[in-house]
Amino acid sequence: MNKRIVVTGTDTGVGKTVFSAGLAGLLGANYWKPVQAGLEQETDSECVRRLGGLSSDRIVPELYRLRTPASPHYSAEIDGIRVDTETLRLPDSGERQLVIEGAGGLMVPLTARTLYIDIFERWQLPVVLCARTGLGTINHSLLSIEALRKRQIRILGIAFIGERNAETESAICEMGRVRWLGRLPWLVPLTDERLQAAFKDSFVSSDFLNL
Ligand SMILES: Nc1ncnc2c1ncn2[C@@H]1O[C@H](COP(=O)(O)OP(=O)(O)OP(=O)(O)O)[C@@H](O)[C@H]1O
Ligand SMILES: C[C@H](N)[C@H](N)CCCCCC(=O)O
Ligand SMILES: [Mg+2]
């Protein structure tokens, strides 16, 4: 039985890391951010550990820690290295499930020739697509869905992040023919306790089990 889930999004900054923290906390899963671009501020792994309440042994180390917060292909060039996409092999997660977060949106380049979506296609894991609820998200979401479908990547569903927008959420799910998994509201302040409580109210763990 597959126990690994990819968390991707319609864009950078949509809330994949916060969602991943909530999901890993809800499932008791491990977390992996294969390629981290940007080290000056809290990394995604550090954020998931803090907000998801994960012990350090549940965080799989990144394969690439690139200094510059930019597209990984460029951030790697600045660091004088090249992402070897052949090394992006799925780690064994042992007894626990594994939440894997991409970087930015689907068509983010890891190298001049390889997009993250190409890696998702190779992995053939189910994908949760994180999306905003505000104006502009319908286009971003339907484009992302189309790209995933074209590569026959299984979409578990859409996880919305932001304030309720019933018309937009239903338009995306109906026109994109994808499941509405839930909506994580915007939490201010954003704390581990508030996230974990809100996540339990927003999502159902059975949607992410027995994949
Ligand atoms: N539900 C939420 N409530 C409050 N703040 C949030 C929420 N989701 C995300 N944020 C904030 O929005 C910003 C972007 O979120 P996040 O880092 O999760 O995005 P991302 O999609 O993982 O970005 P990246 O592409 O860089 O990995 C962060 O400052 C985060 O704290
Ligand atoms: C730096 C940022 N936080 C992410 N890690 C990488 C986002 C890459 C976005 C590339 C793009 O779509 O222009
Ligand atoms: Mg992130």
Side-chain angles (χ1 to χ4, degrees):
M1 176 191 74
N2 170 58
K3 297 190 292 182
R4 295 170 292 204
I5 299 173
V6 167
V7 174
T8 186
T10 56
D11 193 4
T12 184
V14 294
K16 298 185 300 295
T17 298
V18 173
F19 175 84
S20 297
L23 184 60
L26 179 70
L27 301 178
N30 292 341
Y31 170 83
W32 186 36
K33 173 87 173 187
V35 179
Q36 172 67 41
L39 300 177
E40 283 177 7
Q41 298 184 353
E42 184 181 47
T43 65
D44 285 10
S45 294
E46 290 162 349
C47 179
V48 165
R49 192 174 160 197
R50 173 173 62 86
L51 289 179
L54 275 64
S55 52
S56 56
D57 64 301
R58 289 174 54 190
I59 304 288
V60 180
E62 305 96 334
L63 285 176
Y64 291 89
R65 289 170 51 86
L66 308 169
R67 284 177 303 152
T68 310
S71 178
H73 81 288
Y74 181 53
S75 191
E77 184 184 323
I78 293 170
D79 285 357
I81 62 170
R82 190 172 179 281
V83 174
D84 176 358
T85 55
E86 289 310 310
T87 65
L88 293 178
R89 285 186 293 277
L90 292 166
D92 177 31
S93 177
E95 288 307 306
R96 292 182 185 271
Q97 285 185 267
L98 181 63
V99 174
I100 306 171
E101 181 184 347
L106 285 163
M107 293 210 174
V108 163
L110 294 170
T111 69
R113 290 183 179 72
T114 305
L115 303 171
Y116 229 134
I117 194 171
D118 299 323
I119 305 299
F120 296 156
E121 183 178 12
R122 186 201 320 160
W123 286 346
Q124 278 301 304
L125 295 180
V127 159
V128 173
L129 180 66
C130 292
R132 298 182 177 102
T133 57
L135 194 61
T137 193
I138 294 176
N139 171 58
H140 295 155
S141 302
L142 295 182
L143 282 169
S144 299
I145 291 164
E146 185 167 293
L148 289 164
R149 287 258 159 77
K150 185 178 168 196
R151 288 168 172 80
Q152 296 179 323
I153 297 169
R154 181 183 164 202
I155 307 170
L156 266 184
I158 298 256
F160 288 102
I161 297 152
E163 295 318 304
R164 184 172 182 272
N165 189 333
E167 170 50 40
T168 288
E169 295 171 50
S170 58
I172 291 169
C173 293
E174 286 166 25
M175 296 179 194
R177 301 189 322 282
V178 290
R179 287 193 62 208
W180 184 90
L181 293 171
R183 180 182 60 81
L184 184 64
W186 207 253
L187 303 169
V188 180
L190 175 61
T191 64
D192 55 349
E193 287 173 6
R194 299 191 76 214
L195 172 62
Q196 289 163 32
F199 205 89
K200 280 195 181 73
D201 289 344
S202 307
F203 298 97
V204 178
S205 56
S206 55
D207 283 340
F208 306 96
L209 301 172
N210 308 317
L211 302 174

